[in-house]
Amino acid sequence: MSWPIALAIVAITPSAFAVDYLTVAQARKIIFPEAATFQEQDIQLTNAQLAAVGKLAQTPARSSNWKVAVALNAEDKPIGTIVIENVIGKFELITFAVGVSINGMIQGVEILSYRESHGGEVRLPFWRKQFVGKSLANPIRVGDDIRLISGATLSCNAMTEGVRRIAAVVAIAKTL
Amino acid sequence: MMRRAQPWLGTIVEVGCIDADENLMIHACNKAFQSIEAIHERFSFQSKNSELTRFNQAPVAEQLTVSNSFAELLHLCLELNLHSEGYFEPCAGHSGCIKDIELNIENHTAIKKAYLTLDLSGIAKGYAVDRAIDTLVACGIACGWVNAGGDLRMFGSNVPKLHLRTPNLQNVTEEIWLQDAAVASSGNYLNPLVGVFNPKSEIALNSESAATVQASTCVIADALCKAALFLPSSHSIFNTYDAKVLWQS
């Protein structure tokens, strides 16, 4: 299992808070309701493309490998691209989907899962590893999963940057 | 049940609703996010094109026409500033003070009597949450909630449990049950460098300072949680707005 999905299934401990919002399939349907099918594509950016993405997004491109899904309408014509991405913010780890329409506009951004913890532990590989390989069969969620938290407002700069990066990747890689 | 989240208002906004009809929930959430987006575009301090930015850039001593919602929010800000002895101050950290705005609520006009920079970050999230709640109700949803980074409001029975995140980041509080009510929290502990200032002394709050306020609308909870960082929970402002301080440190 890839770690974005594994991340969605985490325990609520006093120090951490996690929410699953949408599955990839639900997010695809919400962002491109007119799509009939989604065709998955692997994108491998060249060094020149990576540099171009960094310049366009005004943030480092991070990775040269991107998995995207092209949304096709009932006539099999491409109408947009969906990219799933993860960002680590200051206190949170977010998996989200971005839809980019055929004219390069952001069609929608949906958070798939969100995990908040207190600080540095999300950056530690051993801490992240505990979620790899976990599935719905692992009863690691404590208590009820419907919870809301009020506290000082988190900023979502890392995510805003992530959305910009995805728009740039789609533009440079010319997925459509 | 449907829970969705999108980045708006500089934070993460969650919209949730409970209904048997999935298509209705998708439609209602879409509409609620559109309401949030409209508020985001009108009141963003960072955006170059928002009504707020245009207001801030407009010349002093001229009569300025403002939108209905801008006039409504400005009116509330002026009232809150008065009742909070100036501790709710939307110009804090920038320049000037809100009481230098002369608002004509009937004509939707305002005059800046002195140079000032208005920043509605301390109240616009709550206002946006209320508009999104109105939208969910108008769509026919019986039970739902909107949570803009901790400024949240719920309606209907069967609402989720609520916890408060404590400033030491180690804990959340025991469950709180809210029905048809809102809470909002403020504090410096997540963003100590860009956090909350005492509007009178202009000194940043220490990292243990935090406050959570419950009210019937989120705009009031949002605004009063800033006042609660400085005023005791017995202060008359909380009674005036029928609000309750749930956490103060």
Side-chain angles (χ1 to χ4, degrees), chain A residues 21-22 30 109-111, chain B residues 2-6 13-16 25-30 33:
Chain A
Y21 289 108
L22 304 173
I30 283 170
V109 178
E110 293 285 339
I111 294 171
Chain B
M2 171 163 277
R3 285 181 92 170
R4 283 170 60 186
Q6 295 182 1
V13 179
E14 173 176 328
V15 175
M25 290 195 291
I26 291 175
H27 170 76
C29 289
N30 285 343
F33 281 122

Side-chain angles (χ1 to χ4, degrees), chain A residues 21 90 110 116 147 150 154, chain B residues 4 14 150 165 185 190:
Chain A
Y21 289 108
K90 197 169 173 189
E110 293 285 339
E116 182 179 304
R147 275 161 200 250
S150 181
L154 279 161
Chain B
R4 283 170 60 186
E14 173 176 328
R165 193 206 293 120
S185 301
L190 288 179

